Short mmCIF file of all heavy atoms in Angstrom, two decimals:
data_model
loop_
_atom_site.label_atom_id
_atom_site.label_comp_id
_atom_site.label_asym_id
_atom_site.label_seq_id
_atom_site.Cartn_x
_atom_site.Cartn_y
_atom_site.Cartn_z
N LEU A 14 -67.52 34.07 9.42
CA LEU A 14 -66.20 33.70 8.94
C LEU A 14 -65.82 32.33 9.47
O LEU A 14 -66.08 32.02 10.63
CB LEU A 14 -65.16 34.73 9.40
CG LEU A 14 -65.29 36.12 8.79
CD1 LEU A 14 -64.26 37.05 9.42
CD2 LEU A 14 -65.12 36.06 7.28
N PRO A 15 -65.22 31.49 8.63
CA PRO A 15 -64.83 30.16 9.07
C PRO A 15 -63.65 30.22 10.03
O PRO A 15 -62.92 31.19 10.08
CB PRO A 15 -64.44 29.46 7.77
CG PRO A 15 -64.03 30.56 6.86
CD PRO A 15 -64.90 31.73 7.22
N THR A 16 -63.54 29.17 10.80
CA THR A 16 -62.41 29.08 11.72
C THR A 16 -61.13 28.86 10.94
O THR A 16 -61.15 28.27 9.86
CB THR A 16 -62.62 27.92 12.69
OG1 THR A 16 -62.73 26.72 11.94
CG2 THR A 16 -63.89 28.12 13.52
N PRO A 17 -59.98 29.34 11.44
CA PRO A 17 -58.73 29.21 10.67
C PRO A 17 -58.40 27.78 10.30
O PRO A 17 -57.88 27.51 9.24
CB PRO A 17 -57.68 29.81 11.64
CG PRO A 17 -58.45 30.72 12.54
CD PRO A 17 -59.81 30.08 12.69
N GLY A 18 -58.69 26.84 11.20
CA GLY A 18 -58.34 25.46 10.90
C GLY A 18 -59.11 24.89 9.72
O GLY A 18 -58.62 24.04 9.01
N LEU A 19 -60.35 25.38 9.50
CA LEU A 19 -61.13 24.90 8.38
C LEU A 19 -60.99 25.77 7.16
O LEU A 19 -61.29 25.36 6.06
CB LEU A 19 -62.62 24.84 8.78
CG LEU A 19 -62.97 23.83 9.87
CD1 LEU A 19 -64.46 23.91 10.17
CD2 LEU A 19 -62.59 22.43 9.45
N ALA A 20 -60.54 26.99 7.36
CA ALA A 20 -60.45 27.92 6.22
C ALA A 20 -59.31 27.57 5.30
O ALA A 20 -59.43 27.67 4.09
CB ALA A 20 -60.28 29.35 6.72
N THR A 21 -58.19 27.18 5.85
CA THR A 21 -57.02 26.92 5.03
C THR A 21 -56.56 25.50 5.27
O THR A 21 -56.09 25.16 6.36
CB THR A 21 -55.88 27.90 5.39
OG1 THR A 21 -55.63 27.81 6.79
CG2 THR A 21 -56.27 29.32 5.04
N PRO A 22 -56.67 24.64 4.26
CA PRO A 22 -56.28 23.26 4.44
C PRO A 22 -54.80 23.08 4.68
O PRO A 22 -54.37 22.05 5.16
CB PRO A 22 -56.71 22.59 3.13
CG PRO A 22 -56.76 23.70 2.14
CD PRO A 22 -57.17 24.92 2.91
N THR A 23 -53.98 24.08 4.33
CA THR A 23 -52.54 23.95 4.56
C THR A 23 -52.15 24.40 5.95
O THR A 23 -50.99 24.29 6.34
CB THR A 23 -51.77 24.79 3.53
OG1 THR A 23 -52.22 26.15 3.60
CG2 THR A 23 -52.01 24.27 2.13
N ALA A 24 -53.10 24.96 6.71
CA ALA A 24 -52.76 25.42 8.07
C ALA A 24 -52.48 24.23 8.96
O ALA A 24 -53.21 23.25 8.94
CB ALA A 24 -53.90 26.26 8.63
N GLN A 25 -51.45 24.34 9.76
CA GLN A 25 -51.08 23.27 10.66
C GLN A 25 -51.32 23.72 12.10
O GLN A 25 -51.11 24.89 12.43
CB GLN A 25 -49.61 22.89 10.48
CG GLN A 25 -49.28 22.40 9.08
CD GLN A 25 -49.96 21.09 8.77
OE1 GLN A 25 -50.31 20.33 9.68
NE2 GLN A 25 -50.16 20.81 7.51
N PRO A 26 -51.75 22.85 12.98
CA PRO A 26 -51.93 23.23 14.38
C PRO A 26 -50.59 23.59 15.02
O PRO A 26 -49.54 23.12 14.60
CB PRO A 26 -52.52 21.97 15.01
CG PRO A 26 -52.14 20.87 14.09
CD PRO A 26 -52.09 21.45 12.72
N GLU A 27 -50.66 24.44 16.03
CA GLU A 27 -49.44 24.89 16.69
C GLU A 27 -48.71 23.74 17.37
O GLU A 27 -47.50 23.65 17.33
CB GLU A 27 -49.78 25.98 17.71
CG GLU A 27 -50.34 27.25 17.06
CD GLU A 27 -50.63 28.30 18.10
OE1 GLU A 27 -50.40 28.04 19.30
OE2 GLU A 27 -51.13 29.39 17.72
N GLU A 28 -49.47 22.85 17.99
CA GLU A 28 -48.85 21.72 18.65
C GLU A 28 -49.57 20.44 18.25
O GLU A 28 -50.79 20.40 18.21
CB GLU A 28 -48.91 21.88 20.17
CG GLU A 28 -48.11 23.09 20.69
CD GLU A 28 -48.16 23.17 22.19
OE1 GLU A 28 -48.79 22.27 22.80
OE2 GLU A 28 -47.58 24.12 22.76
N LEU A 29 -48.81 19.43 17.96
CA LEU A 29 -49.38 18.15 17.59
C LEU A 29 -49.11 17.17 18.72
O LEU A 29 -48.00 17.13 19.27
CB LEU A 29 -48.77 17.63 16.28
CG LEU A 29 -49.09 18.47 15.04
CD1 LEU A 29 -48.35 17.89 13.84
CD2 LEU A 29 -50.57 18.52 14.76
N PRO A 30 -50.11 16.34 19.08
CA PRO A 30 -49.93 15.40 20.18
C PRO A 30 -48.95 14.29 19.84
O PRO A 30 -48.84 13.87 18.69
CB PRO A 30 -51.34 14.83 20.38
CG PRO A 30 -52.01 15.01 19.06
CD PRO A 30 -51.45 16.27 18.49
N HIS A 31 -48.23 13.88 20.86
CA HIS A 31 -47.34 12.71 20.77
C HIS A 31 -46.25 12.92 19.72
O HIS A 31 -45.80 11.97 19.09
CB HIS A 31 -48.13 11.44 20.45
CG HIS A 31 -49.27 11.20 21.38
ND1 HIS A 31 -49.10 10.98 22.73
CD2 HIS A 31 -50.61 11.20 21.15
CE1 HIS A 31 -50.29 10.82 23.30
NE2 HIS A 31 -51.22 10.96 22.37
N GLY A 32 -45.85 14.17 19.47
CA GLY A 32 -44.75 14.43 18.55
C GLY A 32 -45.04 14.10 17.11
O GLY A 32 -44.13 13.75 16.36
N GLU A 33 -46.31 14.19 16.70
CA GLU A 33 -46.65 13.88 15.31
C GLU A 33 -46.01 14.90 14.36
O GLU A 33 -45.92 16.07 14.67
CB GLU A 33 -48.17 13.91 15.11
CG GLU A 33 -48.89 12.75 15.72
CD GLU A 33 -50.36 12.77 15.37
OE1 GLU A 33 -50.74 13.56 14.49
OE2 GLU A 33 -51.13 12.02 15.97
N ALA A 34 -45.59 14.43 13.20
CA ALA A 34 -45.08 15.33 12.17
C ALA A 34 -46.26 15.88 11.37
O ALA A 34 -47.25 15.19 11.17
CB ALA A 34 -44.12 14.57 11.24
N PRO A 35 -46.19 17.12 10.91
CA PRO A 35 -47.28 17.69 10.11
C PRO A 35 -47.51 16.86 8.86
O PRO A 35 -46.58 16.35 8.24
CB PRO A 35 -46.77 19.10 9.75
CG PRO A 35 -45.72 19.40 10.78
CD PRO A 35 -45.11 18.08 11.13
N ALA A 36 -48.78 16.76 8.49
CA ALA A 36 -49.13 15.99 7.29
C ALA A 36 -48.90 16.85 6.07
O ALA A 36 -49.83 17.26 5.38
CB ALA A 36 -50.59 15.54 7.37
N GLN A 37 -47.62 17.16 5.78
CA GLN A 37 -47.28 18.10 4.72
C GLN A 37 -47.66 17.57 3.35
O GLN A 37 -48.14 18.29 2.49
CB GLN A 37 -45.78 18.40 4.77
CG GLN A 37 -45.34 19.57 3.89
CD GLN A 37 -45.90 20.88 4.36
OE1 GLN A 37 -46.12 21.06 5.55
NE2 GLN A 37 -46.17 21.78 3.45
N ALA A 38 -47.42 16.28 3.12
CA ALA A 38 -47.71 15.72 1.80
C ALA A 38 -49.20 15.82 1.48
O ALA A 38 -49.60 16.18 0.39
CB ALA A 38 -47.25 14.27 1.73
N GLU A 39 -50.04 15.49 2.49
CA GLU A 39 -51.47 15.57 2.26
C GLU A 39 -51.92 17.01 2.09
O GLU A 39 -52.76 17.33 1.28
CB GLU A 39 -52.22 14.91 3.41
CG GLU A 39 -52.08 13.40 3.50
CD GLU A 39 -50.78 12.98 4.16
OE1 GLU A 39 -49.96 13.87 4.49
OE2 GLU A 39 -50.58 11.77 4.34
N ALA A 40 -51.34 17.92 2.90
CA ALA A 40 -51.77 19.31 2.85
C ALA A 40 -51.48 19.94 1.50
O ALA A 40 -52.22 20.77 1.02
CB ALA A 40 -51.09 20.10 3.96
N GLU A 41 -50.38 19.58 0.86
CA GLU A 41 -50.02 20.17 -0.41
C GLU A 41 -50.95 19.74 -1.54
O GLU A 41 -51.00 20.38 -2.58
CB GLU A 41 -48.57 19.80 -0.76
CG GLU A 41 -47.54 20.47 0.12
CD GLU A 41 -46.14 20.02 -0.21
OE1 GLU A 41 -45.99 19.10 -1.04
OE2 GLU A 41 -45.21 20.60 0.36
N ASP A 42 -51.68 18.67 -1.36
CA ASP A 42 -52.58 18.18 -2.39
C ASP A 42 -53.99 18.75 -2.25
O ASP A 42 -54.86 18.40 -3.03
CB ASP A 42 -52.64 16.65 -2.36
CG ASP A 42 -51.32 16.03 -2.76
OD1 ASP A 42 -50.57 16.68 -3.49
OD2 ASP A 42 -51.07 14.91 -2.31
N ILE A 43 -54.24 19.56 -1.25
CA ILE A 43 -55.57 20.12 -1.02
C ILE A 43 -55.47 21.63 -1.00
O ILE A 43 -54.67 22.20 -0.25
CB ILE A 43 -56.17 19.63 0.31
CG1 ILE A 43 -56.21 18.11 0.35
CG2 ILE A 43 -57.57 20.21 0.52
CD1 ILE A 43 -56.65 17.54 1.68
N LYS A 44 -56.27 22.29 -1.83
CA LYS A 44 -56.30 23.75 -1.87
C LYS A 44 -57.77 24.19 -1.94
O LYS A 44 -58.68 23.36 -2.04
CB LYS A 44 -55.51 24.29 -3.06
CG LYS A 44 -54.02 23.95 -3.00
CD LYS A 44 -53.25 24.53 -4.17
CE LYS A 44 -51.78 24.17 -4.09
NZ LYS A 44 -51.00 24.74 -5.22
N VAL A 45 -57.98 25.50 -1.89
CA VAL A 45 -59.35 26.01 -1.91
C VAL A 45 -59.58 26.79 -3.20
O VAL A 45 -58.67 27.42 -3.75
CB VAL A 45 -59.64 26.93 -0.69
CG1 VAL A 45 -59.59 26.14 0.59
CG2 VAL A 45 -58.64 28.08 -0.63
N CYS A 46 -60.80 26.73 -3.70
CA CYS A 46 -61.19 27.47 -4.88
C CYS A 46 -61.07 28.96 -4.59
O CYS A 46 -61.56 29.43 -3.56
CB CYS A 46 -62.61 27.10 -5.28
SG CYS A 46 -63.32 28.15 -6.58
N PRO A 47 -60.48 29.76 -5.47
CA PRO A 47 -60.32 31.19 -5.20
C PRO A 47 -61.64 31.96 -5.21
O PRO A 47 -61.70 33.08 -4.71
CB PRO A 47 -59.41 31.67 -6.33
CG PRO A 47 -59.58 30.67 -7.42
CD PRO A 47 -59.83 29.36 -6.73
N ARG A 48 -62.71 31.36 -5.74
CA ARG A 48 -63.98 32.07 -5.81
C ARG A 48 -64.92 31.66 -4.66
O ARG A 48 -65.43 32.50 -3.94
CB ARG A 48 -64.68 31.81 -7.15
CG ARG A 48 -66.00 32.57 -7.29
CD ARG A 48 -66.72 32.18 -8.57
NE ARG A 48 -65.95 32.54 -9.77
CZ ARG A 48 -66.31 32.20 -10.99
NH1 ARG A 48 -67.40 31.47 -11.20
NH2 ARG A 48 -65.57 32.56 -12.03
N CYS A 49 -65.13 30.35 -4.48
CA CYS A 49 -66.10 29.91 -3.48
C CYS A 49 -65.45 29.24 -2.26
O CYS A 49 -66.14 28.86 -1.33
CB CYS A 49 -67.10 28.94 -4.10
SG CYS A 49 -66.40 27.34 -4.57
N SER A 50 -64.12 29.09 -2.28
CA SER A 50 -63.36 28.51 -1.17
C SER A 50 -63.71 27.05 -0.88
O SER A 50 -63.48 26.56 0.22
CB SER A 50 -63.55 29.34 0.11
OG SER A 50 -63.06 30.64 -0.08
N ALA A 51 -64.25 26.35 -1.86
CA ALA A 51 -64.51 24.92 -1.68
C ALA A 51 -63.18 24.16 -1.69
O ALA A 51 -62.25 24.53 -2.41
CB ALA A 51 -65.41 24.41 -2.80
N PHE A 52 -63.10 23.12 -0.88
CA PHE A 52 -61.90 22.30 -0.84
C PHE A 52 -61.76 21.50 -2.14
O PHE A 52 -62.72 20.89 -2.61
CB PHE A 52 -61.95 21.33 0.34
CG PHE A 52 -61.76 21.99 1.67
CD1 PHE A 52 -62.11 21.34 2.83
CD2 PHE A 52 -61.22 23.26 1.77
CE1 PHE A 52 -61.93 21.94 4.06
CE2 PHE A 52 -61.03 23.87 2.98
CZ PHE A 52 -61.39 23.21 4.15
N ILE A 53 -60.56 21.48 -2.69
CA ILE A 53 -60.30 20.74 -3.92
C ILE A 53 -59.02 19.95 -3.74
O ILE A 53 -58.01 20.48 -3.28
CB ILE A 53 -60.18 21.68 -5.13
CG1 ILE A 53 -61.52 22.39 -5.38
CG2 ILE A 53 -59.74 20.92 -6.37
CD1 ILE A 53 -61.49 23.39 -6.49
N MET A 54 -59.08 18.68 -4.07
CA MET A 54 -57.90 17.83 -4.01
C MET A 54 -57.45 17.50 -5.43
O MET A 54 -58.27 17.14 -6.28
CB MET A 54 -58.20 16.54 -3.24
CG MET A 54 -57.04 15.55 -3.25
SD MET A 54 -57.41 14.02 -2.35
CE MET A 54 -57.28 14.61 -0.67
N LYS A 55 -56.17 17.61 -5.68
CA LYS A 55 -55.60 17.29 -6.99
C LYS A 55 -54.80 16.00 -6.87
O LYS A 55 -53.87 15.91 -6.08
CB LYS A 55 -54.70 18.42 -7.48
CG LYS A 55 -54.14 18.22 -8.89
CD LYS A 55 -53.35 19.46 -9.30
CE LYS A 55 -52.88 19.36 -10.74
NZ LYS A 55 -51.94 18.26 -10.97
N ILE A 56 -55.21 15.01 -7.63
CA ILE A 56 -54.52 13.72 -7.60
C ILE A 56 -53.18 13.86 -8.31
O ILE A 56 -53.10 14.47 -9.37
CB ILE A 56 -55.37 12.63 -8.27
CG1 ILE A 56 -56.75 12.56 -7.62
CG2 ILE A 56 -54.67 11.28 -8.18
CD1 ILE A 56 -56.71 12.25 -6.15
N ASN A 57 -52.15 13.31 -7.74
CA ASN A 57 -50.81 13.40 -8.31
C ASN A 57 -50.65 12.35 -9.41
O ASN A 57 -49.94 11.36 -9.26
CB ASN A 57 -49.75 13.20 -7.22
CG ASN A 57 -48.36 13.48 -7.73
OD1 ASN A 57 -48.18 14.16 -8.72
ND2 ASN A 57 -47.37 12.94 -7.04
N ASP A 58 -51.36 12.58 -10.53
CA ASP A 58 -51.33 11.63 -11.64
C ASP A 58 -50.76 12.26 -12.91
O ASP A 58 -50.95 11.73 -14.01
CB ASP A 58 -52.74 11.11 -11.93
CG ASP A 58 -53.72 12.23 -12.26
OD1 ASP A 58 -53.32 13.41 -12.13
OD2 ASP A 58 -54.86 11.94 -12.65
N GLY A 59 -50.07 13.38 -12.77
CA GLY A 59 -49.49 14.03 -13.93
C GLY A 59 -50.46 14.92 -14.69
O GLY A 59 -50.14 15.37 -15.79
#
């Protein structure tokens, strides 16, 4: 089984160093295939 951080691209670490804000915009553009769980990025081009 993959580690949680690699399994779900939308997962955010519990603590980020130096007060970083979560990369929410980037995370929303990356999802996993429901069959093979490959990472897929969708370009925001309409």
